[in-house]
Amino acid sequence: MRPAVGAPVRRCTACDSWEYGGAPGCPRCAALVDDIVEEAWREFLAGEFGTPAHEDERIIAEMVAQEPDRYDWRVVDAALDRLTCDDCGSRLGRGPVGCAPCDLAHGFRYAAIETDRPGVPPGNEHAIRVNVSVVRRPYGISAPELLGRRMFLPFLLAGALPTTRQAQRMAALAKRGATERDLAALMDAASGETGADGHGSR
Ligand SMILES: [Zn+2]
Ligand SMILES: [Zn+2]
């Protein structure tokens, strides 16, 4: 289950990061990130189609992929995961940069609907969407950018949105070679949440 707005950020039990933030390297965090889109897909299917047969599910996925602007981004991402790229054989939109059908599908996914949850700063859902997308398709992303994206994700899911200045500062530090540990200490200090679930205790 995706964290609710205001939920405490928790350490992953399988890696050194906050939950979700260890993806794509930590299998547990990667599965949590995948479940953000899978959960929405299950709800979408149940609400619109009940329990479709496997073959019907693929047809529904094709329909969604053709009109991404009509669906929530998580539903679109889950739909693309159910389609296979004819050129590279990956899940559509997740193949290497330079695979034309994947690049195209990856671009179109950004046409999907992003709805901010109540009580979050405007743009929070967009930031989640971008970071989830980068973490799930990290090809062509520099190591410092990936580090920043994945480290912000747990906080975005809890409803926070870093200011442009904070985001730029973190990006600059990551580019200069700051490690996950350095950045984690900074984010602990910035978030002011040092009590929850061992968060800030390192
Ligand atoms: Zn993890
Ligand atoms: Zn491809």
Side-chain angles (χ1 to χ4, degrees):
M1 255 276 273
R2 178 175 162 164
V5 174
V9 176
R10 295 190 303 199
R11 288 280 171 209
C12 176
T13 53
C15 73
D16 250 1
S17 303
W18 290 290
E19 281 183 337
Y20 296 86
C26 166
R28 181 169 181 268
C29 285
L32 286 171
V33 174
D34 283 343
D35 201 52
I36 292 173
V37 303
E38 285 302 309
E39 185 184 25
W41 178 256
R42 289 192 297 268
E43 276 173 21
F44 166 72
L45 277 193
E48 304 277 328
F49 303 98
T51 45
H54 186 70
E55 178 54 24
D56 290 343
E57 195 173 328
R58 200 182 56 79
I59 293 167
I60 295 165
E62 277 172 0
M63 180 190 83
V64 169
Q66 274 163 20
E67 294 186 292
D69 54 322
R70 293 185 55 199
Y71 301 94
D72 184 90
W73 69 269
R74 294 163 297 169
V75 172
V76 171
D77 279 10
L80 292 177
D81 282 345
R82 282 162 174 77
L83 303 174
T84 304
C85 174
D86 289 335
D87 278 21
C88 74
S90 298
R91 291 194 260 187
L92 187 59
R94 292 177 72 178
V97 172
C99 173
C102 281
D103 286 344
L104 198 64
H106 186 63
F108 279 156
R109 76 166 87 231
Y110 286 99
I113 297 167
E114 298 159 351
T115 309
D116 277 322
R117 295 163 294 171
V120 301
N124 170 268
E125 191 69 15
H126 176 68
I128 290 173
R129 184 281 169 276
V130 172
N131 288 22
V132 165
S133 167
V134 167
V135 163
R136 296 180 87 224
R137 196 211 189 200
Y139 302 108
I141 306 289
S142 71
E145 181 179 354
L146 180 60
L147 178 64
R149 296 263 178 215
R150 68 182 180 79
M151 287 196 67
F152 273 126
L153 184 56
F155 294 91
L156 296 170
L157 288 167
L161 187 66
T163 62
T164 308
R165 210 174 127 260
Q166 285 170 328
Q168 285 172 345
R169 190 159 152 256
M170 298 289 274
L173 287 167
K175 255 185 213 136
R176 287 209 302 265
T179 63
E180 176 164 9
R181 208 183 179 106
D182 299 336
L183 295 182
L186 272 176
M187 286 169 80
D188 271 343
S191 71
E193 286 179 31
T194 47
D197 291 311
H199 173 207
S201 63
R202 302 166 52 188

